[in-house]
Amino acid sequence: MATSVSPAPSAIRGLPAPSALLELLKPITWFAPMWAFACGVVSSGVPASGHWPVIVAGIVLAGPLVCATSQAANDWYDRHVDAINEPNRPIPSGRMPGRSGLYVALAWTGLSLLVAAVLGPWILGAAMFGLILAWVYSAPPLRLKQNGWWGNAAVGLCYEGLPWFTGAAVMAGALPDGRVLILALLYSLGAHGIMTLNDFKSVEGDRRMGLASLPVQLGTDWAARLACLVMALPQVVVILCLSAWDRPWHATMIGLLLMVQLVLMVPLLQSPREKAAWYNGTGTTLYVLGMLVAAFAVRALAHQGAV
């Protein structure tokens, strides 16, 4: 049984401790959208020189703002579930007292929109879309996370495709090249499998609370098979696209990365519950490296017209 955590002195006075606020915003989750944003910047074909203030602002928007907003909103609406599964989380432990968790999510939403508005209309539109997905993922009545099919799709889009689009759009100042959009979409689809593996750590709690994650719906063996298929197929399509776009070396590099992932999937499929976290630290790393390779592949093509 988990030990209870005494609220920090600042929480006792009605204000969350800075450490509790940071834990609520989950910095470890910011890497994925920040990396995808960087891939978008690279894929745009626009030199970074002279654009660093905008790039830095965009990275902050993708990670510490929009992604952090989604984490705060998720923790608020999951507070009853966390009281059972993770009682040491900031809200159920009392380190984020009262409705402060909700207020942080709302404040971060407003701050995200303010920064996005400064970066231009394309970025504002993308940020608004991402924030809407973040809220409907966690909040009733839709609460997309109640179903692994829809919830994982929303997270994959928010963590990979949308930041990639945002990074390319902020550099181009316009709708990105069609090839850039294709890559962003494909890697978003593959991220659905990554999110499925992430659900393996909470199978029992999800089952008890009626959350239909894919490991709960399909069982862990079939969910692992589906996750591997969903991660691999979009990369195959990326390889075919890069070959068609006369980028054979980049296609070969992604093919090699995929081959190593397939090798790593063997022990994952043999022991999915035990190896899911391990694969997310190994195979998923190769997946995101492939994203950067693909971004460099289309970099020189970005201004040759849409597909």
Side-chain angles (χ1 to χ4, degrees):
M1 181 178 295
T3 57
S4 61
V5 176
S6 299
S10 59
I12 295 173
R13 293 195 299 268
L15 295 174
S19 59
L21 176 61
L22 189 63
E23 188 178 346
L24 179 77
L25 300 177
K26 295 183 183 176
I28 194 172
T29 65
W30 302 349
F31 170 78
M34 291 166 67
W35 180 271
F37 181 90
C39 288
V41 170
V42 170
S43 68
S44 72
V46 178
S49 177
H51 292 85
W52 283 112
V54 174
I55 293 173
V56 171
I59 290 175
V60 171
L61 178 66
L65 291 178
V66 174
C67 182
T69 298
S70 71
Q71 296 301 328
N74 184 64
D75 265 33
W76 172 255
Y77 288 105
D78 266 5
R79 63 194 186 278
H80 303 302
V81 179
D82 287 343
I84 298 172
N85 294 330
E86 298 181 86
N88 292 342
R89 292 292 305 155
I91 295 176
S93 70
R95 289 177 292 133
M96 295 290 299
R99 301 173 68 85
S100 58
L102 176 61
Y103 298 149
V104 168
L106 292 171
W108 250 248
T109 299
L111 184 58
S112 299
L113 291 173
L114 179 62
V115 172
V118 172
L119 292 175
W122 283 107
I123 312 308
L124 178 59
M128 290 176 65
F129 182 68
L131 289 166
I132 290 171
L133 279 181
W135 280 93
V136 301
Y137 173 77
S138 298
L142 293 180
R143 195 161 161 76
L144 297 180
K145 73 173 299 177
Q146 291 185 107
N147 187 293
W149 295 105
W150 299 109
N152 290 355
V155 174
L157 185 59
C158 281
Y159 275 40
E160 305 295 356
L162 202 58
W164 189 316
F165 168 88
T166 305
V170 76
M171 296 299 288
L175 182 68
D177 180 87
R179 286 163 286 224
V180 173
L181 299 180
I182 289 171
L183 292 178
L185 177 60
L186 287 170
Y187 279 108
S188 293
L189 294 174
H192 190 289
I194 298 173
M195 295 304 110
T196 298
L197 293 183
N198 192 54
D199 287 335
F200 275 69
K201 68 180 185 296
S202 56
V203 173
E204 297 304 328
D206 288 346
R207 185 178 289 115
R208 289 174 58 189
M209 298 304 299
L211 296 179
S213 67
L214 292 184
V216 170
Q217 290 187 53
L218 305 176
T220 55
D221 289 345
W222 279 105
R225 294 186 184 103
L226 176 68
C228 291
L229 183 65
V230 169
M231 286 184 288
L233 283 182
Q235 294 180 81
V236 172
V237 178
V238 168
I239 293 168
L240 294 175
C241 287
L242 296 183
S243 299
W245 299 336
D246 196 25
R247 287 294 180 266
W249 290 110
H250 296 87
T252 300
M253 290 177 64
I254 294 176
L256 293 173
L257 289 170
L258 177 57
M259 288 178 62
V260 179
Q261 291 172 63
L262 294 175
V263 171
L264 295 174
M265 286 175 184
V266 174
L268 169 66
L269 293 175
Q270 291 173 344
S271 304
R273 295 196 67 170
E274 293 78 11
K275 294 291 187 178
W278 167 81
Y279 188 86
N280 268 338
T282 55
T284 299
T285 301
L286 300 175
Y287 180 93
V288 299
L289 285 175
M291 291 172 57
L292 187 59
V293 173
F296 275 108
V298 297
R299 179 178 178 83
L301 301 172
H303 297 298
Q304 295 180 9
V307 174

